[in-house]
């Protein structure tokens, strides 16, 4: 019975992928489509001096809305946005719609749990995950009755490091301030371990 349930649970995502497999065929070559689970992204190179390119993207969005209506897959309009990349004037960004719902331009967006801005910088993402990791590390120090160092370190690896390392190959930091922000989580945590208050950071790492 356990095996049958496992097979059934794996079948759902596969059937969903097969269900939306024809979505790329809806669009023309003027846009680039990216699919991940139920997340859809459309990319298009829009020239501010030409209205045709913006109108073409709107046509592709209309095709998406029609496809979703035919296959009865409702679109979550509140999660839709337009992220203009590069330098632009706010007044030059065209307003796009899906089924008469305005898709507003944003300065930053969260894509698969990674925050990016219109210059494709990841400082905002590092700030967010560093804050979340600090809070999680503080909970470990405060809530664990055992002050055994090995247990605390094991908890740190399980509950904190995944926050800092998720999708790091995509946003690998190159700015010193971002690297220090990430390192500060481990630096602060190790200093709060029993017997390490007066040690330097490098001494804590050796211990």
């Amino acid at each position: 019975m356990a095996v049958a349930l496992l097979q059934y649970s794996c079948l759902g995502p596969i059937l969903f992928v097969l269900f939306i497999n024809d979505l790329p065929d809806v669009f023309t070559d003027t846009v680039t489509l990216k699919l991940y689970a139920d997340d859809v992204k459309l990319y298009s190179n829009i020239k501010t001096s030409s209205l045709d390119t913006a109108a073409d993207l709107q046509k592709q969005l209309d095709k998406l809305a029609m496809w979703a209506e035919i296959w009865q897959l409702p679109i979550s309009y509140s999660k839709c946005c337009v992220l203009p990349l590069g330098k632009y004037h706010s007044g030059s960004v065209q307003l796009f719609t899906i089924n008469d719902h305005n898709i507003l331009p944003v300065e930053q967006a969260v894509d698969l749990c990674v925050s990016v801005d219109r210059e494709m910088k990841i400082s905002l993402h590092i700030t967010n995950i560093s804050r979340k990791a600090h809070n999680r590390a503080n909970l470990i120090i405060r809530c664990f009755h055992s002050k055994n160092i090995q247990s605390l370190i094991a908890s740190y690896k399980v509950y904190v490091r995944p926050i800092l390392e998720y999708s790091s190959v995509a946003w690998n930091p190159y700015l010193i301030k971002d690297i220090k922000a990430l390192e500060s989580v481990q630096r602060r945590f190790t200093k709060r371990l029993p017997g390490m208050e007066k040690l330097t950071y490098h001494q804590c790492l050796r211990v």
Side-chain angles (χ1 to χ4, degrees), residues 44-115:
S44 180
N45 184 14
I46 297 179
K47 300 178 181 179
T48 55
S49 58
S50 174
L51 296 178
D52 294 337
T53 52
D56 180 74
L57 180 56
Q58 180 59 61
K59 289 180 181 179
Q60 308 305 319
L61 293 175
D62 294 338
K63 292 180 180 179
L64 173 63
M66 185 178 300
W67 179 90
E69 183 177 353
I70 292 175
W71 292 106
Q72 300 179 18
L73 285 176
I75 298 175
S76 180
Y77 303 108
S78 61
K79 296 180 180 179
C80 297
C81 65
V82 175
L83 180 63
L85 302 179
K87 297 181 179 179
Y88 69 96
H89 298 289
S90 58
S92 64
V93 179
Q94 169 144 354
L95 184 63
F96 296 96
T97 62
I98 301 179
N99 279 342
D100 296 328
H101 292 267
N102 292 334
I103 308 302
L104 301 177
V106 295
E107 292 291 322
Q108 58 199 28
V110 178
D111 183 17
L112 300 178
C113 299
V114 177
S115 302

Side-chain angles (χ1 to χ4, degrees), residues 121 123 173-180:
K121 293 181 178 179
S123 293
Y174 59 92
L175 297 178
I176 294 179
K177 68 181 183 72
D178 292 336
I179 296 174
K180 288 184 176 180

